[in-house]
Amino acid sequence: MVMDINEIREYLPHRYPFLLVDRVTQLTVGESIVAFKNVSINEPFFNGHFPHHPIMPGVLVVEALAQVCGILGFKTVNKLPADGYVYYLVGSDNVRFKRPVMPGDQLTLEANVIRGKRGIWKFACRATVDGELACEAEIICAERKVA
């Protein structure tokens, strides 16, 4: 299963400049997802992080991983933000950064379901660049109905 940016926008409420997933290349409902983010010098955060040595902030790498978790969660329970649901990032464990992510990199985002129960999901996540580990984390998301 492949998702382009138009379908991704159906499953994530995020918009520019905070939509951090460009394409989903693999998705197995209830199990796993693989997606990517093309990192461009045009990203607004590079103006200040850091002007002479641009590095994607680690918290945004974790956010990109959380966004793919949200897509996998929505696909698994067959719901959409348009139905009044949202996935919140509610926790992260064992977060480790192994290499910087810089302009020109293609960040591969992977998440595997560890468990899901009553709308709370835990995922094992990895972000890589050219097969080299950039970040790993366990991410916890909660599905909530919003008004």
Side-chain angles (χ1 to χ4, degrees):
M1 173 179 295
V2 176
M3 295 171 67
D4 66 12
I5 193 63
N6 295 314
E7 189 174 1
I8 290 167
R9 288 168 48 98
E10 292 177 25
Y11 284 88
L12 287 177
H14 307 77
R15 295 297 178 260
Y16 177 84
F18 224 71
L19 180 58
L20 300 174
V21 181
D22 291 324
R23 181 172 297 275
V24 174
T25 57
Q26 299 173 37
L27 191 147
T28 303
V29 172
E31 292 181 22
S32 63
I33 187 169
V34 178
F36 66 78
K37 161 76 177 140
N38 291 314
V39 182
S40 166
I41 191 63
N42 296 320
E43 307 284 352
F45 49 79
F46 284 133
N47 288 329
H49 199 268
F50 302 100
H52 300 292
H53 183 65
I55 297 173
M56 184 175 183
V59 294
L60 293 181
V61 175
V62 173
E63 173 64 24
L65 288 167
Q67 288 181 19
V68 297
C69 293
I71 294 169
L72 179 55
F74 274 127
K75 282 284 202 179
T76 298
V77 299
N78 197 29
K79 294 179 183 174
L80 293 168
D83 300 326
Y85 291 91
V86 68
Y87 273 84
Y88 289 122
L89 169 61
V90 296
S92 58
D93 296 317
N94 304 314
V95 178
R96 297 291 180 268
F97 299 100
K98 303 293 186 177
R99 77 175 300 281
V101 178
M102 299 185 282
D105 287 345
Q106 184 177 74
L107 194 58
T108 301
L109 307 162
E110 304 172 45
N112 293 286
V113 173
I114 295 173
R115 68 178 162 273
K117 189 174 186 180
R118 293 191 305 259
I120 306 292
W121 295 83
K122 187 169 188 175
F123 303 88
C125 301
R126 293 171 40 93
T128 59
V129 175
D130 295 326
E132 186 179 353
L133 185 63
C135 176
E136 60 187 349
E138 292 177 355
I139 291 179
I140 304 163
C141 295
E143 173 192 317
R144 293 292 180 257
K145 180 84 169 152
V146 292

